[in-house]
Amino acid sequence: MSAAATRRLTTAQALVRFLAAQYTERDGVRHRLIAGTWGIFGHGNVAGIGQALVEYADAMPYHQGRSEQAMVHAAVGHARQLNRLSAQAVTTSIGPGATNLVTGAALATVNRLPVLLLPGDYFASHAADPLLQQLEHPVEADVSVNDALRPVSRYFDRVNRPEALVASALRAMRVLTDPAETGAVTLALPQDVQAEAYDWPEQFFADRVWRVRRPAPDPVELAEAVDLIRAAERPVIVAGGGVHHSEAEQALKAFADATGIPVASTQAGKGSLRHDHPADLGGIGHTGTAVSDDLARTADLVIGVGTRYSDFTTASGTLFQHPDVRFLNLNITAFDAHKLAARTLVCDARAALTALTDALPDHRVDAAYEAEYGAGKARWEETVRAAFRADDDGAVPTQTQVLGALDAVVGDEDVVINAAGSLPGDLHKLWRARSPRQYHLEYGYSCMGYEIPAALGVQQAAPGTPVWALVGDGTYLMNPTEIVTAVQENLPVKLVLVQNHGYASIGGLSESVGAERFGTDYRHRVADGSFTGAPLPVDLAANAASLGMDVLRAKTVRELREALTTARAATRPTCVYVETAPAPSAPPAEAWWDVPVAEVSAREAATDARARYEGAVADRRHHL
C-alpha cells in the first residue's frame, strides 16, 4: 500500500474522522448521519476517543453529559425528532460507565431508534490484567461487562485490532441507517486499541452516503390488501410510530380523506393526523379514547400502519372482538407485519399508503359508519374539554388541568415530551396533537428519566422550537442531572415539574391489583410501618434551581397559565413547578391491561382483584 494512499492515525482518531464523513439521504435530502458525540470520560476512553475528539473538534461536535444513561436518551430524542435520518454517538469509560448504557440501549432498540454506543473496553492485549473495574470471568477470558449490551443492541462488535475497524464501522453504519433493522449499535473499543496507530486507507475517510430505502409493496400483497379493504364494512386504521419515521403523515391523510376509514393511534403514532381531522379518533387501547376502543371492538378489518402492537395497543389481546376480524399490516419490518396472523404489506409506510389510495379511487366506507364515529369523536371532545376546564382559576390545578393549561399555551410547532408515570395515559387520551412531531411519548420502554435528556436531544435537532419535558416527581428524582448540560449548552428547554408526592400511576395500579398502594407514596413512615404520614419536606423546585434552571412556582390555575406563557418565551432553561390536587382527574381506562393478580391471598383487596382479573382475562383472543 503506497504512502500516498494511506493516513497514519490512531484507531480512535480514524473512527472519529470516519463518523464525520457519513451521511444519509432519502427523497433527495441529505443529512449528516452522526451529528455529534456525547461523552463522559474516564479510563478506557479519555486517552483514545477523548483525545480524538479534541484532535478533530472542528469535524465532530462534542456534548458533555452527566449520566451515561441520560446521554443515550438525549441521542434517542435527537434521532426521533429527525425521523431516524440522523443519529448521535455516545462514548463512555469502561466498567460502570459502560454498563450504565444498557437501559438506554434497550430503549433505543425497543423503539427502533438509532444510536451509536462507543464504550471503552479492557486491554485487548491483556497486558494489564485485571484492570480497575474489570469483571474477571472464570472460564471466558474474552468476556467484559460490555457483553451486557449484546442482547439490547441490533449490532455489536468488539474491535480488537485497528484493521478490524474498517469492516465493523461499515456494518455499524448499515444497521443504523436500515429502517427495518435500526436500534442501538455498539462498538466496544479496548483502550489499548483506541490508542494504537495504523496506516488507514484514505478511502475510509471519504464522504459516504447511505440511502434510506422506501421499498414498494409487492403487487400480489397489494392486490390482496385492496380486496380486504373493499370487503370490509367497519375498517379502522391503527397508526404507529412507523408513520412518523416514514414521513407518511400526508399519505395517511390522503388515504383517510379518500376512503373515510377512521384512524386511531398508538403512543408512538399520535399526531399522524391532526386532532381536528374528521377521521382522527385519538389514542387506542388501554389508554385510548372511548370512540377508538368502541370502534376497535366492532372492527372487521384492522389496518396496522407501522405499529408493533404492544399490549397497551391490543388491551392485552382483548380489544378486537369482532368474530371475523382480520388484520392487514403495513410495516417495513416483516417481523412486525406478520403479527396477529395478518395479511401483510412489507414495505415503506408512505409507499404503501400511496399505492392503496391509488388502487382504491372509488372506494369509501358507508356514510352511516362515518356518522357513527363522527358522533363518537364529538362526544370524546367534550370529555377532553371537561377534563381541561378549570371553573376556579384560584384553585390548585388537577393534573389534567395542567395539560389543559399547556394546551392553551403551546403552538403547533412545540414539542411535548413524556415517558412514564400517570402522564402518558392522560396525554394519550386527552392531548390534541397539532403537528406530526408535537407529541413525543417514549412508551415502548416507558423509561423513567427519559424526558429531560430527550428534550436536550430534540432541542439540538430543532433549534428555535419550544421543547417541553413533562415530568412527575418520581421521574424527576430518577434523573435530573442533564439540567446541568442544558444550562452549559444554553438549550432553552422547558420543564413542567408536576409534584403529586409519589408514584401516581403505579399507586393506582397497585390498588387495582390488590397491592394496596404499598411503597408508592413519598411520605414519612408511621408507627405501623406504612408510608401514610405527612409528605416529605423535599423541595424539587429548589433542586432544579440549584442545578441552574430558572424556576417559576405556580400554586393556582391562573398562576400556572402565566408561568407556562413566561416559560415558552424564555431563552434559557426554565422550570414550571406545580403541585397538583391529589384526586385522579382523567377519564378512566376504556380497555383492559393484563397485570397478573395473586391467585391466592389472605387479604380481601387481593382476592377481590383476582375475581375482577379472571373476568377480564376471559375475553382474551388469539388471532389466528
Side-chain angles (χ1 to χ4, degrees), residues 160-177:
N160 283 319
R161 290 294 306 143
E163 58 267 34
L165 177 66
V166 174
S168 187
L170 291 170
R171 293 188 189 113
M173 299 304 103
R174 181 194 67 78
V175 175
L176 285 173
T177 58

Side-chain angles (χ1 to χ4, degrees), residues 437-616:
R437 276 286 165 233
Q438 182 174 85
Y439 187 87
H440 183 128
L441 261 285
E442 188 290 296
Y443 216 58
Y445 210 50
S446 186
C447 185
M448 296 178 74
Y450 172 82
E451 295 91 338
I452 295 173
L456 272 60
V458 171
Q459 193 75 83
Q460 289 173 333
T465 297
V467 179
W468 302 84
L470 274 57
V471 178
D473 50 282
T475 287
Y476 180 86
L477 287 167
M478 289 271 185
N479 198 9
T481 57
E482 299 319 295
I483 288 174
V484 178
T485 301
V487 172
Q488 182 179 34
E489 299 217 359
N490 196 31
L491 296 170
V493 296
K494 296 94 173 59
L495 171 63
V496 179
L497 178 50
V498 180
Q499 170 66 280
N500 54 21
H501 301 288
Y503 299 119
S505 174
I506 294 301
L509 178 62
S510 172
E511 188 171 46
S512 73
V513 299
E516 303 174 59
R517 292 186 176 265
F518 178 76
T520 63
D521 283 335
Y522 291 156
R523 296 177 182 274
H524 283 287
R525 189 188 293 269
V526 294
D528 66 358
S530 65
F531 295 89
T532 56
L536 298 175
V538 175
D539 191 339
L540 300 184
N543 179 263
S546 76
L547 297 177
M549 280 196 129
D550 292 342
V551 176
L552 306 169
R553 295 176 184 257
K555 295 182 179 180
T556 67
V557 173
R558 183 185 308 107
E559 291 176 0
L560 175 63
R561 281 198 293 265
E562 293 169 353
L564 292 171
T565 301
T566 300
R568 189 172 188 273
T571 58
R572 66 180 313 278
T574 301
C575 170
V576 175
Y577 174 83
V578 58
E579 293 197 38
T580 56
S585 55
E590 297 289 338
W592 185 63
W593 182 45
D594 189 353
V595 178
V597 176
E599 191 169 0
V600 294
S601 174
R603 300 183 69 85
E604 183 178 358
T607 56
D608 289 348
R610 180 67 190 190
R612 294 192 298 271
Y613 176 82
E614 290 175 352

Side-chain angles (χ1 to χ4, degrees), residues 300-320:
D300 57 356
L301 178 65
V302 179
I303 306 171
V305 184
T307 178
R308 63 190 190 93
Y309 287 110
S310 77
D311 60 343
F312 260 58
T313 299
T314 67
S316 300
T318 65
L319 186 57
F320 305 111

Side-chain angles (χ1 to χ4, degrees), residues 101-457:
L101 295 173
V102 173
T103 295
L107 181 148
T109 296
V110 166
N111 286 284
R112 278 70 159 169
L113 292 166
V115 61
L116 177 62
L117 307 180
L118 305 173
D121 213 327
Y122 314 149
F123 282 72
S125 67
H126 291 260
D129 196 11
L131 302 176
L132 174 67
Q133 300 177 327
Q134 181 173 345
L135 172 72
E136 293 185 90
H137 197 286
V139 295
E140 296 181 77
D142 63 339
V143 167
S144 83
V145 295
N146 284 335
D147 288 281
L149 287 160
R150 289 182 184 270
V152 293
S153 297
R154 294 294 289 170
Y155 177 77
F156 178 99
D157 193 17
R158 181 175 286 111
V159 183
N160 283 319
R161 290 294 306 143
E163 58 267 34
L165 177 66
V166 174
S168 187
L170 291 170
R171 293 188 189 113
M173 299 304 103
R174 181 194 67 78
V175 175
L176 285 173
T177 58
D178 189 321
E181 294 188 33
T182 195
V185 168
T186 301
L187 297 181
L189 303 171
Q191 59 178 309
D192 53 344
V193 177
Q194 288 181 50
E196 189 174 344
Y198 182 73
D199 293 323
W200 302 89
E202 280 288 350
Q203 190 175 359
F204 187 55
F205 308 114
D207 286 359
R208 188 179 302 268
V209 178
W210 301 83
R211 287 186 172 80
V212 180
R213 301 182 300 278
R214 286 196 184 278
D218 175 81
V220 174
E221 288 192 334
L222 179 62
E224 291 180 344
V226 169
D227 289 343
L228 279 175
I229 293 170
R230 285 194 182 279
E233 295 180 358
R234 299 181 63 81
V236 64
I237 295 168
V238 176
V243 175
H244 295 309
H245 299 329
S246 175
E247 298 175 321
E249 296 90 356
Q250 287 302 311
L252 177 62
K253 179 180 182 297
F255 182 66
D257 286 343
T259 64
I261 299 176
V263 178
S265 56
T266 69
Q267 287 279 18
K270 191 162 171 123
S272 295
L273 289 183
R274 267 187 65 102
H275 73 93
D276 53 3
H277 189 282
D280 181 67
L281 307 182
I284 190 171
H286 177 62
T287 53
T289 67
V291 58
S292 286
D293 288 348
D294 286 347
L295 258 66
R297 291 185 182 96
T298 59
D300 57 356
L301 178 65
V302 179
I303 306 171
V305 184
T307 178
R308 63 190 190 93
Y309 287 110
S310 77
D311 60 343
F312 260 58
T313 299
T314 67
S316 300
T318 65
L319 186 57
F320 305 111
Q321 288 295 327
H322 190 288
D324 299 316
V325 65
R326 305 290 297 276
F327 294 85
L328 170 64
N329 290 338
L330 288 56
N331 205 298
I332 201 165
T333 305
F335 179 84
D336 291 316
H338 283 274
K339 289 177 178 175
L340 302 175
R343 295 291 182 90
T344 62
L345 275 177
V346 181
C347 58
D348 173 74
R350 193 170 86 180
L353 289 165
T354 300
L356 286 173
T357 303
D358 291 344
L360 293 161
D362 57 349
H363 179 76
R364 191 170 187 87
V365 298
D366 189 82
Y369 185 52
E370 288 190 78
E372 177 189 341
Y373 71 69
K377 177 180 174 65
R379 288 193 298 272
W380 187 258
E381 179 58 29
E382 182 51 43
T383 298
V384 173
R385 283 193 289 267
F388 283 179
R389 186 168 52 241
D391 296 324
D392 181 359
D393 276 2
V396 174
T398 65
Q399 182 162 286
T400 56
Q401 288 168 351
V402 171
L403 299 183
L406 184 62
D407 175 79
V409 167
V410 300
D412 288 8
E413 69 276 20
D414 293 37
V415 179
V416 176
I417 301 174
N418 187 241
S422 57
L423 278 165
D426 293 359
L427 286 160
H428 198 209
K429 292 187 189 87
L430 303 173
W431 188 259
R432 301 185 281 209
R434 306 174 197 178
S435 60
R437 276 286 165 233
Q438 182 174 85
Y439 187 87
H440 183 128
L441 261 285
E442 188 290 296
Y443 216 58
Y445 210 50
S446 186
C447 185
M448 296 178 74
Y450 172 82
E451 295 91 338
I452 295 173
L456 272 60

